[in-house]
């Protein structure tokens, strides 16, 4: 093997190793980006708030519908009476 061929083989091997290192680092970076959970808690918090608002609207709609106040009063009295009976 001539001196030039040997130098070329070493240069190619070095380039291949450097490229492999860069590709491995790039792949690791891509994996880290897919696992990034920033904003996850904010999104979950917003969804919980929307669900709570929906439940509140349903309760208000039920309570203000015909006779809703009477139903709430009966429910409240039944709960209080049950608690007092158990104490």
């Amino acid at each position: 093997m001539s001196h030039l061929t040997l130098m070329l083989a070493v240069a190619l091997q070095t380039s291949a190793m450097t490229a492999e290192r860069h590709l491995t680092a790039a792949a690791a970076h891509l994996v880290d980006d897919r696992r990034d959970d920033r904003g996850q808690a904010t999104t979950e918090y917003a969804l919980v708030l929307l669900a709570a608002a929906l439940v509140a609207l349903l309760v208000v709609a039920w309570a203000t519908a015909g006779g809703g106040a009477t139903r709430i009063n009966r429910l409240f009295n039944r709960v209080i009476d049950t608690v007092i009976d158990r104490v």
Side-chain angles (χ1 to χ4, degrees), residues 4 8 11 15-16 28-29 41 44 53 67 69 71 79 87:
L4 184 57
L8 183 57
S15 296
H29 181 67
E44 290 171 357
R71 288 185 217 149
V79 168
V87 173

Short mmCIF file of all heavy atoms in Angstrom, two decimals, residues 4 8 11 15-16 28-29 41 44 53 67 69 71 79 87:
data_model
loop_
_atom_site.label_atom_id
_atom_site.label_comp_id
_atom_site.label_asym_id
_atom_site.label_seq_id
_atom_site.Cartn_x
_atom_site.Cartn_y
_atom_site.Cartn_z
N LEU A 4 0.36 7.40 -0.07
CA LEU A 4 -0.82 8.21 -0.39
C LEU A 4 -2.11 7.41 -0.11
O LEU A 4 -3.06 7.96 0.45
CB LEU A 4 -0.77 8.63 -1.87
CG LEU A 4 -1.87 9.56 -2.34
CD1 LEU A 4 -1.92 10.82 -1.51
CD2 LEU A 4 -1.69 9.89 -3.81
N LEU A 8 -4.97 8.37 2.61
CA LEU A 8 -6.36 8.48 2.19
C LEU A 8 -7.25 7.57 3.04
O LEU A 8 -8.34 7.97 3.47
CB LEU A 8 -6.50 8.12 0.71
CG LEU A 8 -7.89 8.26 0.10
CD1 LEU A 8 -8.41 9.67 0.26
CD2 LEU A 8 -7.87 7.85 -1.35
N ALA A 11 -7.63 9.14 6.46
CA ALA A 11 -8.51 10.31 6.37
C ALA A 11 -9.97 9.87 6.25
O ALA A 11 -10.86 10.45 6.89
CB ALA A 11 -8.12 11.17 5.19
N SER A 15 -12.86 10.60 8.98
CA SER A 15 -14.08 11.28 8.56
C SER A 15 -15.31 10.45 8.90
O SER A 15 -16.33 10.98 9.35
CB SER A 15 -14.05 11.55 7.06
OG SER A 15 -13.02 12.44 6.75
N ALA A 16 -15.21 9.14 8.69
CA ALA A 16 -16.34 8.26 8.99
C ALA A 16 -16.63 8.26 10.49
O ALA A 16 -17.80 8.31 10.90
CB ALA A 16 -16.04 6.85 8.51
N ALA A 28 -29.58 11.65 19.05
CA ALA A 28 -29.89 11.83 20.47
C ALA A 28 -30.67 13.12 20.68
O ALA A 28 -31.60 13.18 21.48
CB ALA A 28 -28.62 11.83 21.30
N HIS A 29 -30.30 14.17 19.95
CA HIS A 29 -31.00 15.45 20.06
C HIS A 29 -32.45 15.30 19.59
O HIS A 29 -33.36 15.84 20.21
CB HIS A 29 -30.26 16.51 19.23
CG HIS A 29 -30.88 17.85 19.30
ND1 HIS A 29 -30.91 18.60 20.46
CD2 HIS A 29 -31.52 18.60 18.36
CE1 HIS A 29 -31.52 19.74 20.23
NE2 HIS A 29 -31.91 19.75 18.97
N ALA A 41 -47.95 20.42 31.36
CA ALA A 41 -48.73 20.75 32.57
C ALA A 41 -49.70 21.89 32.28
O ALA A 41 -50.84 21.87 32.77
CB ALA A 41 -47.79 21.12 33.71
N GLU A 44 -52.65 20.42 30.40
CA GLU A 44 -53.50 19.64 31.29
C GLU A 44 -54.29 20.56 32.22
O GLU A 44 -55.48 20.32 32.47
CB GLU A 44 -52.66 18.67 32.10
CG GLU A 44 -52.08 17.55 31.26
CD GLU A 44 -51.07 16.70 32.02
OE1 GLU A 44 -50.77 17.02 33.18
OE2 GLU A 44 -50.58 15.73 31.43
N ALA A 53 -65.37 24.18 34.31
CA ALA A 53 -66.32 25.20 33.85
C ALA A 53 -67.56 24.54 33.25
O ALA A 53 -68.69 25.00 33.46
CB ALA A 53 -65.65 26.12 32.83
N GLY A 67 -87.98 24.41 38.81
CA GLY A 67 -87.95 23.64 40.04
C GLY A 67 -86.56 23.24 40.51
O GLY A 67 -86.43 22.46 41.43
N ALA A 69 -84.28 24.95 42.11
CA ALA A 69 -83.99 25.42 43.46
C ALA A 69 -84.63 24.48 44.49
O ALA A 69 -84.04 24.18 45.53
CB ALA A 69 -84.48 26.84 43.65
N ARG A 71 -85.25 21.29 44.04
CA ARG A 71 -84.47 20.04 44.04
C ARG A 71 -83.19 20.18 44.86
O ARG A 71 -82.83 19.29 45.62
CB ARG A 71 -84.11 19.64 42.60
CG ARG A 71 -85.26 19.15 41.81
CD ARG A 71 -84.78 18.68 40.47
NE ARG A 71 -85.77 19.03 39.48
CZ ARG A 71 -85.52 19.33 38.23
NH1 ARG A 71 -84.28 19.33 37.79
NH2 ARG A 71 -86.48 19.63 37.40
N VAL A 79 -79.02 15.45 52.59
CA VAL A 79 -77.61 15.24 52.96
C VAL A 79 -77.38 15.63 54.42
O VAL A 79 -76.77 14.90 55.18
CB VAL A 79 -76.65 16.02 52.02
CG1 VAL A 79 -75.24 16.04 52.56
CG2 VAL A 79 -76.70 15.43 50.62
N VAL A 87 -74.30 10.97 63.17
CA VAL A 87 -73.45 11.52 64.22
C VAL A 87 -74.01 11.24 65.53
O VAL A 87 -74.62 10.83 66.22
CB VAL A 87 -73.27 13.05 64.07
CG1 VAL A 87 -72.52 13.62 65.25
CG2 VAL A 87 -72.57 13.35 62.78
#
